[in-house]
Amino acid sequence: MPLRLGVNIDHAATLRQARYARDPVGLLAEPDPVEAALIAEKAGADGITAHLREDRRHMQDRDIFRLKESLRTKLNLEMGNAPEIVAIALQVKAHDVCLVPENRHEITTEGGLDCLAHQTALQTTVGKLRDLGTVVSLFIDPDPDQICAAADLRADYIELHTGAFANATGSARSRELQRLVAGATQAHELGLRVNAGHGLNYQNVSELFVVPFMAELNIGHAIISRALFTGLADAVAEMKALCARYPL
Ligand code: PXP
């Protein structure tokens, strides 16, 4: 299977909220993240990722339901393990759910989930989602103990946090890459499927291709940023062309 591209469209909603936070579902509210998702799909996205945060800073509940209804590929709902958000996920029945840690003061998701510390709470949520037929992924750092814990939780996928790799320079960068290689290998041996994301862009994504067994990359900020200059369809198509170079 070729490397799939999940396009995270949160920042289309971020832009809308910058002007229309008081009335994000009003007729004037633009840009519409669902329209962005449909353009991304048409340009080759294999799925659409959207994060419903507890503070609703970008995506709104209605966006998530509209995405589920409108997408022809799949909705990957990113979310923290908070009861209110879990209830929405169970209602929306997203194809995929990626559980992430969430901290109200962060600008973006900062670290991976701690599957060891939150084992009991995660077990309940993973079970409920899987019972619905949702494919569950856990966003974790490439840490051997976390990968074992994700396997114990019977997740379908892990999404390896690539933020530390993306931010590292010099020898730290190759160290981070090696951690991702080891993490993907360990996950594969434990029967977990492997996605990756965070901080990936047009410059660094090919470097990541030494990491084996990757099924899907989830990329948001870089694609939406490039879209300002090239249009969203070209920005997605260009990233998709890079993904096509992943050695199988
Ligand atoms: N994957 C996860 C789990 C994330 O939390 C994010 C950020 O929302 C992304 C991927 C996309 O990150 P970026 O916007 O840096 O491409």
Side-chain angles (χ1 to χ4, degrees), residues 12 27-28 40 47 66 69 94 98 109 113 141 154 160 162 175 177 187 191 208 219 224 226 246:
L27 279 182
L28 293 176
R66 286 177 61 227
E69 275 169 28
C98 180
T109 315
L113 262 182
D141 292 320
R154 306 202 44 242
L160 286 173
T162 50
R175 245 190 342 267
L177 260 183
L208 192 70
I219 306 181
I224 301 297
R226 180 157 299 205
Y246 181 58

Side-chain angles (χ1 to χ4, degrees), residues 145-162:
D145 294 337
Q146 292 297 334
I147 294 166
C148 284
D152 289 345
L153 285 166
R154 306 202 44 242
D156 300 284
Y157 281 85
I158 54 167
E159 179 168 325
L160 286 173
H161 191 322
T162 50

Side-chain angles (χ1 to χ4, degrees), residues 8 10-11 49 51 53 58 76 78 98-101 108-110 139 159-162 196-201 217-223:
N8 181 317
D10 290 346
H11 294 309
T49 298
H51 186 170
R53 298 187 73 106
H58 35 57
N76 175 30
E78 240 183 62
C98 180
L99 289 166
V100 302
T108 180
T109 315
E110 278 167 358
F139 182 57
E159 179 168 325
L160 286 173
H161 191 322
T162 50
H198 211 284
L200 299 178
N201 59 35
L217 301 181
N218 282 305
I219 306 181
H221 190 266
I223 292 176

